[in-house]
Amino acid sequence: KQEVTQIPAALSVPEGENLVLNCSFTDSAIYNLQWFRQDPGKGLTSLLLIQSSQREQTSGRLNASLDKSSGRSTLYIAASQPGDSATYLCAVRPHSGGSYIPTFGRGTSLIVHP
Amino acid sequence: DGGITQSPKYLFRKEGQNVTLSCEQNLNHDAMYWYRQDPGQGLRLIYYSQIVNDFQKGDIAEGYSVSREKKESFPLTVTSAQKNPTAFYLCASSIYATEAFFGQGTRLTVV
């Protein structure tokens, strides 16, 4: 069964720092990996989707990389801002089984203080 | 605007009562999902549906029921058999295995 781990569980940094959030998964046979942001009491907002054939995706100050063979993805946030404070989750879709149901990590809670 | 709408935002359930959470999408997505989120835990899959009139149990389906009579709608009923229903419930949809989109969630509390 696929297991997804996110490290660190929590992170507090001063504004302006460049950040790296980690996501690891146990089964490398994945279809795609998606990064989400969740604000307190809200739903999940999709940030980036990386297909299994891709190495990275970029959107503004966000860059996500994927190393399928080692079972890792990283989300890089450049020049962090207080508005980036949220929980960041990754989800992995399996490549087999027919259902393609995503498995989620528990998230990294990020606080960026002014 | 295309998106997923969950209602209500807050819901209170009395002991022994069934309640239904609504999830509607106008994205023309075939697949829809229900997740439960508890503090400090990841998202756990309750039910999913990949096509109208078909749905499958997820990891924690006991005490819940769903229907998928229309492509746009995937309501979740929390029955009295669910002994610990207080949680944040999230509905999502996608086109097959592509990018998933989520609603804003329903917070259910037992009173």
Side-chain angles (χ1 to χ4, degrees):
Chain A
K1 182 182 177 182
Q2 178 76 271
E3 292 184 5
V4 179
T5 303
Q6 292 189 244
I7 294 173
L11 189 60
S12 180
V13 300
E15 181 176 7
E17 282 204 3
N18 298 324
L19 308 173
V20 175
L21 308 182
N22 298 293
C23 172
S24 62
F25 44 95
T26 54
D27 186 348
S28 62
I30 67 169
Y31 192 81
N32 58 41
L33 184 145
Q34 191 170 358
W35 281 95
F36 295 87
R37 167 187 173 135
Q38 185 178 29
D39 293 291
K42 304 290 187 181
L44 278 64
T45 299
S46 179
L47 296 174
L48 291 164
L49 175 73
I50 309 178
Q51 300 296 342
S52 62
S53 59
Q54 297 175 316
R55 295 286 292 182
E56 65 179 283
Q57 283 282 357
T58 298
S59 176
R61 294 183 293 108
L62 304 179
N63 175 279
S65 66
L66 175 64
D67 184 344
K68 199 173 60 170
S69 61
S70 67
R72 293 181 185 176
S73 176
T74 61
L75 179 66
Y76 177 82
I77 303 175
S80 59
Q81 303 170 358
D84 294 329
S85 298
T87 297
Y88 292 81
L89 297 99
C90 67
V92 174
R93 283 192 192 266
H95 197 273
S96 59
S99 63
Y100 298 94
I101 301 302
T103 299
F104 285 81
R106 295 190 176 191
T108 294
S109 178
L110 172 65
I111 297 175
V112 181
H113 48 86
Chain B
D1 278 335
I4 303 174
T5 301
Q6 289 188 242
S7 63
K9 188 173 181 180
Y10 300 98
L11 186 58
F12 299 90
R13 192 194 94 165
K14 296 180 180 178
E15 295 285 347
Q17 189 179 44
N18 292 355
V19 292
T20 298
L21 285 60
S22 171
C23 179
E24 303 276 335
Q25 55 97 0
N26 59 4
L27 300 168
N28 200 33
H29 287 174
D30 289 303
M32 296 187 74
Y33 316 82
W34 273 106
Y35 289 92
R36 170 177 172 146
Q37 188 176 37
D38 295 282
Q41 297 199 34
L43 274 67
R44 293 185 289 169
L45 182 68
I46 305 173
Y47 269 97
Y48 66 97
S49 169
Q50 293 179 295
I51 196 169
V52 175
N53 292 322
D54 185 58
F55 48 83
Q56 305 296 326
K57 292 182 179 180
D59 299 322
I60 56 166
E62 185 175 353
Y64 300 97
S65 66
V66 294
S67 63
R68 188 82 187 278
E69 298 177 359
K70 299 187 298 181
K71 188 175 186 179
E72 304 80 16
S73 180
F74 192 40
L76 173 73
T77 296
V78 184
T79 75
S80 57
Q82 172 49 242
K83 298 308 178 186
N84 185 24
T86 295
F88 191 51
Y89 291 87
L90 289 160
C91 178
S93 72
S94 67
I95 298 175
Y96 193 48
T98 61
E99 188 175 12
F101 294 89
F102 280 77
Q104 288 300 297
T106 293
R107 185 164 299 281
L108 174 63
T109 303
V110 174
V111 296

